[in-house]
Amino acid sequence: MKHLLTACCFLFSLVFPAAVWSAESAADILERMDQAAPGFQAMSANVRMTTYVSVISDKTVEDGTLLMQRLKKNGTVRAILDFSHQKEASANRLIAFLGNIIRIYYPNANTYQDYDVGKNSDALNQFLLLGFGSSGKELAQGYDISAAGTETLGGQDTTKLVLVPKTASVKEKLAKIEMWIPANSAYPIQQEFYEPPPSGNYRIVTYSEMNLKPAIKGKQLDFKPPAGATKSS
């Protein structure tokens, strides 16, 4: 279950004079997301995920790739988050989002686990599309959203948005989300997820080499474990 949190779910800064760039309003960015959402079909990116566990003061950094597609037929999201080339072999895994099933494959052991999210599949789809294919109106329905200044990430001028969940059930697991949106873009290059206090835990996901028109062959995202793989409970 530890790695399931990864589901539900290259920094380089250049400093420019403050006068060059001023923060956009949250309304402007959400409007841009409204315009971009209907055309979103797929994306790929390199991913760096930093996970901090407060109780043991542990920070783990993992590098991988993400390939995601929203199916035209029913809007279901398929995605593969690949962390199968970590420095520590025990951390190698591939996470596939398959509708109401999350499949985590461990290549070193050639084993996998399936988690049935059942009625929560719609919520999972929305979470996967957070900032990617979700419209500004959809985000505003679930979160109170505000702009929180500017930062330069990866050489790009960005405005930071702060999203605070509106519903009690989400607030139990998530205190807030921060997203960094580049100028003239509808998609984040970084997200940070904060657990409710007093945990102090958070996760930062940074995207680079983003491609909004990746080549996806057939059922590439319907991940099936290799021959001989064992399913564990």
Side-chain angles (χ1 to χ4, degrees):
M1 295 298 294
K2 173 184 175 183
H3 293 315
L4 186 57
L5 179 61
T6 303
C8 306
C9 41
F10 81 98
L11 291 181
F12 179 73
S13 296
L14 297 176
V15 180
F16 292 93
V20 173
W21 168 246
S22 58
E24 297 182 278
S25 70
D28 288 341
I29 295 174
L30 295 179
E31 182 179 355
R32 201 156 63 233
M33 289 181 174
D34 284 336
Q35 296 171 354
F40 179 85
Q41 297 179 5
M43 66 88 73
S44 66
N46 292 334
V47 175
R48 169 162 288 184
M49 187 170 70
T50 302
T51 304
Y52 179 74
V53 180
S54 176
V55 69
I56 57 175
S57 299
D58 178 70
K59 183 180 289 186
T60 302
V61 179
E62 300 176 284
D63 291 306
T65 60
L66 171 66
L67 181 62
M68 178 168 63
Q69 181 182 37
R70 182 170 60 186
L71 303 182
K72 292 181 180 179
K73 186 175 182 180
N74 54 16
T76 298
V77 178
R78 292 284 190 271
I80 292 181
L81 187 56
D82 189 346
F83 289 116
S84 60
H85 298 90
Q86 303 308 305
K87 292 181 180 179
E88 294 187 15
S90 60
N92 288 347
R93 65 203 184 284
L94 185 149
I95 306 164
F97 301 88
L98 310 169
N100 64 331
I101 298 293
I102 296 176
R103 176 167 294 159
I104 304 178
Y105 172 66
Y106 303 91
N108 295 80
N110 199 24
T111 62
Y112 68 97
Q113 294 174 296
D114 282 351
Y115 299 92
D116 191 341
V117 298
K119 296 180 180 179
N120 296 314
S121 60
D122 287 343
L124 178 61
N125 284 345
Q126 293 174 17
F127 187 79
L128 287 170
L129 289 171
L130 186 67
F132 298 101
S134 52
S135 69
K137 292 184 176 64
E138 289 170 334
L139 288 180
Q141 288 175 356
Y143 301 90
D144 290 317
I145 304 173
S146 59
T150 64
E151 290 185 33
T152 302
L153 297 178
Q156 299 186 67
D157 294 323
T158 71
T159 296
K160 182 169 73 173
L161 294 183
V162 179
L163 291 72
V164 178
K166 291 182 177 181
T167 61
S169 58
V170 178
K171 286 182 178 179
E172 290 177 359
K173 300 182 176 73
L174 189 64
K176 67 176 179 178
I177 302 168
E178 295 178 346
M179 298 198 303
W180 286 258
I181 313 294
N184 301 317
S185 174
Y187 307 109
I189 59 171
Q190 183 169 285
Q191 301 163 320
E192 185 162 1
F193 304 87
Y194 296 85
E195 292 184 12
S199 82
N201 299 339
Y202 62 83
R203 171 167 289 138
I204 303 172
V205 184
T206 305
Y207 304 91
S208 61
E209 303 298 326
M210 192 181 301
N211 181 1
L212 296 174
K213 293 184 179 181
I216 299 176
K217 300 178 181 179
K219 297 183 178 181
Q220 182 179 352
L221 292 179
D222 291 342
F223 175 73
K224 294 183 179 180
T230 302
K231 183 178 182 181
S232 58
S233 57

